[in-house]
């Protein structure tokens, strides 16, 4: 009985993490993107569950079932447009969240585990978004699935086996759609579990702040100060989200996806969703298929190396003017690659993508390690 009484109350434990959690008093609205990402995840989970009730994971009926949702299901058009645009909103928020972490050095110790889990969440998001893009079974969905899954055939020995397993046969067909639907339904719950781990790891050492310092004195309760700030950010974000849902619901998608998949007709220009275009440009910039695929995966996984390749004594860019300039230039390079990913595979776009791709990897693998060691000698500021 005494042992049971000593067990912590789970409600009080959750309240400690969600309400009375000590938060640095100087964090700005740039720290709102974490809570906005949670809002996006909840929206995608809820709308996805209701859409799955009416969707038919069969190549004969998938396209028609999506049209049925849009035309016959009460408010089905709202569910579909919210879910379809929700993935873009999710990626906008997560990319901004990653940029904020990069800008303020949030990947540094003692938050290495937080950063690595965050990279895992982003990878799971990308897999979920790709699988979901295939489900409407439109022209771009079908051919996007064909092109992307074929990339794995570049791996020697095991590549063809992996592709055949992903397809469930010898081409993108009904078995492929069933597998993709099952995994697309499952992965959001994996993302939710990783998010819980992400928050738990974050609360172990506390949130970072614009100054990059750790202090146990200059902190205030999360509620009501930051709940009000997060609520304001959420209201502004919902207004932004609503604009796309109500006034431009198809702008971020591809018009070919309103044509039912036809395996015998290849689209003139196969492109993924906008949030993959940066990495797609890196893939296409390399003539060798295997090297292109390796560069594609490396362009995402390189984020996981950040905590281990920097040696600066200062965490935040507030005291690192050279680093601050380089991060903004990297953001511009990322936007250029995103634009190039949607351009035709011809010169001068391919040459431009090769240059921008070299700058992308050069930022992580050359510039950051060198710059951090230069700053180590030029800025002798204590680490904490």
């Amino acid at each position: 009985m005494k042992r049971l009484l000593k067990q912590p109350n789970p409600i009080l434990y959750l309240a400690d993490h969600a309400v009375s959690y000590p938060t640095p008093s100087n964090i700005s609205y740039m720290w709102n993107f974490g809570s906005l990402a949670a809002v996006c995840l909840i929206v995608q989970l809820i709308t996805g569950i209701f859409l799955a009730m009416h969707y038919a994971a069969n190549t004969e009926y998938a396209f028609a079932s999506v049209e049925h949702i849009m035309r016959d299901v009460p408010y089905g058009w709202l569910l579909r447009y919210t879910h379809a645009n929700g993935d873009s909103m999710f990626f906008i928020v997560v990319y901004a969240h990653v940029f904020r972490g990069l800008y303020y050095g949030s990947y540094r110790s003692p938050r290495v585990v937080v950063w690595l889990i965050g990279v895992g969440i982003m990878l799971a998001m990308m897999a979920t978004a790709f699988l979901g893009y295939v489900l409407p079974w439109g022209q771009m969905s079908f051919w996007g699935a064909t092109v992307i899954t074929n990339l794995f055939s570049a791996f020697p020995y095991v590549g063809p086996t992996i592709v055949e397993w992903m397809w469930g046969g010898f081409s993108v067909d009904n078995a492929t759609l069933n597998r993709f639907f099952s995994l697309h339904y499952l992965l959001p719950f994996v993302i939710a579990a990783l998010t819980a781990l992400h928050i738990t790891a974050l609360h172990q050492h506390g949130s970072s702040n614009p100054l990059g310092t750790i202090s146990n004195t200059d902190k205030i309760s999360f509620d009501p100060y930051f709940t009000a700030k997060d609520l304001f950010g959420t209201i502004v974000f919902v207004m932004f989200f609503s604009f796309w849902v109500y006034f431009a619901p198809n702008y971020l998608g591809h018009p070919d996806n309103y044509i039912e998949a036809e395996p015998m007709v290849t689209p003139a220009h196969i492109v993924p969703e906008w949030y993959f275009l940066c990495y797609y440009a890196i893939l296409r910039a390399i003539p060798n298929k295997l090297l292109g695929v390796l560069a594609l995966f490396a362009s995402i996984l390189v984020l996981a190396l950040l905590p281990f390749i920097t040696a600066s004594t200062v965490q935040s860019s507030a005291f690192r003017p050279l680093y601050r300039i380089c991060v903004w230039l990297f953001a511009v390079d990322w936007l250029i690659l995103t634009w190039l990913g949607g351009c035709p595979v011809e010169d001068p776009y391919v040459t431009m993508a090769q240059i921008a791709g070299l700058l992308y990897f050069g930022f992580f693998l050359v510039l950051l390690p060198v710059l951090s060691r230069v700053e180590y000698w030029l800025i002798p500021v204590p680490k904490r």
Side-chain angles (χ1 to χ4, degrees):
M1 189 67 177
K2 291 181 179 179
R3 187 174 296 175
L4 290 174
L5 291 174
K6 290 180 180 179
Q7 294 296 322
N9 189 316
I11 297 177
L12 295 178
Y13 178 79
L14 289 173
D16 182 58
H17 277 268
V19 178
S20 59
Y21 167 62
T23 309
S25 61
N26 63 333
I27 62 174
S28 65
Y29 281 104
M30 290 292 289
W31 271 256
N32 277 39
F33 292 113
S35 61
L36 292 179
V39 170
C40 289
L41 177 59
I42 293 170
V43 168
Q44 292 301 91
L45 279 169
I46 294 173
T47 56
I49 289 170
F50 281 101
L51 286 171
M53 296 177 183
H54 303 279
Y55 176 75
N58 186 289
T59 54
E60 295 293 328
Y61 309 112
F63 187 84
S65 70
V66 173
E67 292 303 307
H68 164 69
I69 292 170
M70 293 287 293
R71 299 169 187 267
D72 304 325
V73 176
Y75 294 100
W77 62 270
L78 182 59
L79 281 173
R80 200 273 173 110
Y81 282 150
T82 302
H83 194 74
N85 287 280
D87 62 345
S88 292
M89 300 301 110
F90 205 171
F91 273 96
I92 289 172
V93 168
V94 168
Y95 283 158
H97 191 51
V98 171
F99 176 78
R100 193 269 304 161
L102 187 65
Y103 188 80
Y104 288 108
S106 300
Y107 53 86
R108 299 289 301 280
S109 177
R111 300 179 188 87
V112 175
V113 175
V114 181
W115 180 263
L116 294 178
I117 296 174
V119 174
I121 291 172
M122 194 169 78
L123 287 170
M125 278 180 58
M126 289 179 168
T128 307
F130 166 67
L131 295 170
Y133 188 55
V134 180
L135 300 187
W137 208 243
Q139 267 290 74
M140 199 53 62
S141 295
F142 174 82
W143 286 101
T146 302
V147 170
I148 298 303
T149 52
N150 258 311
L151 294 177
F152 290 89
S153 65
F155 294 109
Y157 306 111
V158 297
T161 304
I162 294 174
V163 174
E164 188 177 328
W165 177 84
M166 293 174 68
W167 287 348
F170 301 102
S171 65
V172 176
D173 209 333
N174 196 59
T176 314
L177 186 62
N178 271 283
R179 291 175 182 225
F180 280 23
F181 174 66
S182 300
L183 291 173
H184 181 70
Y185 196 92
L186 171 66
L187 280 176
F189 297 99
V190 175
I191 294 173
L194 288 173
T195 301
L197 291 175
H198 188 64
I199 295 172
T200 302
L202 172 67
H203 284 200
Q204 183 177 3
H205 296 286
S207 301
S208 60
N209 60 81
L211 296 179
T213 58
I214 295 178
S215 172
N216 293 322
T217 56
D218 190 21
K219 289 186 177 182
I220 54 178
S221 174
F222 187 84
D223 183 73
Y225 303 102
F226 294 103
T227 50
K229 181 178 281 190
D230 281 354
L231 180 60
F232 174 76
T234 301
I235 292 172
V236 174
F237 174 70
V238 168
M239 293 171 63
F240 175 73
F241 193 167
S242 299
F243 168 80
W244 294 100
V245 173
Y246 290 105
F247 297 102
N250 297 306
Y251 186 80
L252 297 174
H254 200 285
D256 279 5
N257 247 14
Y258 276 93
I259 304 171
E260 190 170 1
E262 176 52 67
M264 301 303 291
V265 179
T266 307
H269 188 36
I270 301 174
V271 291
E273 291 281 68
W274 69 266
Y275 40 77
F276 291 141
L277 289 176
C278 169
Y279 314 107
Y280 191 58
I282 292 173
L283 168 71
R284 299 189 313 177
I286 301 177
N288 183 279
K289 184 177 180 180
L290 178 59
L291 293 179
V293 173
L294 292 175
L296 170 68
F297 288 113
S299 63
I300 304 167
L301 295 175
V302 71
L303 290 169
L305 297 178
L306 277 177
F308 312 106
I309 59 177
T310 55
S312 176
T313 54
V314 182
Q315 178 173 315
S316 173
S317 63
F319 308 105
R320 304 171 64 185
L322 293 177
Y323 176 79
R324 186 163 60 242
I325 294 170
C326 291
V327 171
W328 281 112
L329 290 176
F330 169 76
V332 172
D333 184 60
W334 187 90
L335 291 173
I336 291 172
L337 280 169
T338 299
W339 169 66
L340 291 170
C343 295
V345 190
E346 58 187 34
D347 280 327
Y349 304 117
V350 173
T351 304
M352 292 171 64
Q354 291 172 344
I355 296 171
L358 286 174
L359 293 174
Y360 180 97
F361 285 106
F363 171 78
F364 289 107
L365 302 178
V366 179
L367 187 60
L368 283 190
V370 171
L371 187 61
S372 64
R373 279 156 180 79
V374 170
E375 290 175 334
Y376 182 86
W377 299 104
L378 295 181
I379 314 177
V381 180
K383 190 175 182 180
R384 300 284 173 246

